[in-house]
Amino acid sequence: MSQTCPVCHSSRCATKKTVSKYTIWECRDCGLFWVPGVGEAELADFYSSAYFSGSQEFGYGDYLKTEKVQRLNAVNLLGTIANHSRANGGLAKSKLLDVGCAYGFLVDEACKAGAEAEGVDYSESASRYAQTVLGRKVTLGNLHAINFPAEHFDAVTSVGSIEHLNDPVAMVEEIARITKPGGLFVVTTLNTKSLIRIFRFKPPEHLYYFSHRSLALLLESKGFAVESVKAYLANHALGEAVGLLLKALFGPRINIKPLIERMPWKQMNLPLPNNEMLMVARKR
Ligand SMILES: [Zn+2]
């Protein structure tokens, strides 16, 4: 079997390694790593509500407990958007979409800042939370299925979600279609070529592993001009950060929940350098 790179279309691709039943491919030209052939049904199955509560071997250890830090990161990211915004009235008057919005904290913070914000997410429990507890407009399911009008949004965000998709190329294409010319697309994801080059292949949770180069190639190929790329300094609750570090070092089998529960300083928030990047691109 051979593969063509979904980003740069090079045929110089080879298998990198196999993790459980998943084969990870590497593009020798743009450096992309990806896992082909994972279907929608398999993903839907994987993202049950257990994913966000720490009871699966993958996922977020009690995501809701990290609300404070999630909101802090959301506000920082909205600041980045405001800095780049050319919309009249800045963020306050803009239409914003958060793709892969999880519990909707970014959507909520954007609305509080005056934006007309909404979200979309695959998780039923997370989107229900955003709708009922936060009272925000969040659609469950696939971005394509919503079929937003063309050139509708001033800004689209994708925070730590593009690596989870089985076809991010199609997603970026759809985002390009629904973003206004001059509008922004803001992406955070793992950078395989960051200064801290420690990352693990963890399919089916992460299916695409970009470098700043391959992500820029993808965005540029779909009609965006990359304006900035930098290390993403996200805040982490200290307990969560230690848990993620332990998982990175010892693998997904380690049960982080009891460890984190025992930490007296688990609620402290710290902006930590990690292996993620923050890319801001503008629709041409
Ligand atoms: Zn490639």
Side-chain angles (χ1 to χ4, degrees):
M1 193 178 70
S2 69
Q3 290 283 342
T4 303
C5 175
V7 168
C8 76
H9 308 292
S10 167
S11 55
R12 293 180 62 237
C13 300
T15 56
K16 171 79 177 169
K17 66 191 280 190
T18 300
V19 178
S20 57
K21 61 173 178 167
Y22 301 98
T23 304
I24 289 136
W25 284 75
E26 176 182 16
C27 171
R28 297 266 163 82
D29 280 319
C30 74
L32 178 78
F33 298 103
W34 84 105
V35 182
V38 178
E40 289 289 324
E42 191 173 349
L43 283 186
D45 223 33
F46 177 72
Y47 291 107
S48 58
S49 62
Y51 175 75
F52 284 103
S53 70
S55 53
Q56 253 176 261
E57 69 169 45
F58 294 96
Y60 297 91
D62 281 11
Y63 191 88
L64 270 180
K65 280 191 192 157
T66 65
E67 172 169 355
K68 221 163 129 185
V69 80
Q70 302 292 338
R71 286 187 182 276
L72 186 61
N73 289 331
V75 168
N76 287 341
L77 204 76
L78 292 169
T80 299
I81 293 174
N83 288 342
H84 284 261
S85 180
R86 286 182 195 157
N88 255 345
L91 180 67
K93 295 271 166 63
S94 64
K95 280 196 174 72
L96 183 144
L97 174 70
D98 188 20
V99 178
C101 67
Y103 285 83
F105 299 134
L106 191 144
V107 172
D108 196 47
E109 292 295 337
C111 288
K112 283 181 186 169
E116 206 180 299
E118 61 184 288
V120 53
D121 200 276
Y122 277 107
S123 163
E124 196 179 339
S125 59
S127 54
R128 199 185 309 121
Y129 181 91
Q131 292 157 356
T132 57
V133 181
L134 302 181
R136 296 306 179 190
K137 188 176 173 192
V138 166
T139 311
L140 170 67
N142 185 299
L143 174 65
H144 290 81
I146 304 172
N147 198 17
F148 283 112
E151 303 183 356
H152 187 66
F153 291 102
D154 298 288
V156 178
T157 52
S158 165
V159 182
S161 72
I162 196 168
E163 64 272 24
H164 295 256
L165 302 172
N166 63 357
D167 192 355
V169 178
M171 187 202 71
V172 173
E173 198 167 279
E174 176 65 0
I175 288 172
R177 186 185 71 79
I178 63 180
T179 304
K180 291 177 186 172
L184 297 172
F185 181 29
V186 178
V187 190
T188 78
T189 189
L190 168 86
N191 180 359
T192 58
K193 298 270 166 64
S194 71
L195 282 175
I196 305 170
R197 292 192 187 189
I198 307 168
F199 71 94
R200 288 170 37 104
F201 292 112
K202 41 181 190 176
E205 186 184 6
H206 292 170
L207 300 173
Y208 275 72
Y209 304 78
F210 292 95
S211 62
H212 47 276
R213 180 164 169 246
S214 56
L215 185 63
L217 267 175
L218 172 56
L219 269 50
E220 299 268 353
S221 76
K222 298 301 173 192
F224 291 99
V226 173
E227 278 195 359
S228 84
V229 54
K230 56 186 180 184
Y232 181 46
L233 272 181
N235 284 275
H236 290 272
L238 200 54
E240 189 85 355
V242 171
L244 289 173
L245 182 68
L246 290 173
K247 272 196 172 185
L249 291 174
F250 300 109
R253 272 152 300 175
I254 185 167
N255 184 4
I256 58 172
K257 218 169 161 182
L259 288 170
I260 293 173
E261 288 304 319
R262 254 178 259 142
M263 292 176 191
W265 29 268
K266 65 186 176 193
Q267 296 298 356
M268 276 176 64
N269 295 328
L270 285 177
L272 294 172
N274 57 19
N275 54 15
E276 289 177 40
M277 61 183 148
L278 168 64
M279 190 173 281
V280 179
R282 193 180 299 279
K283 173 86 176 292
R284 286 196 203 96

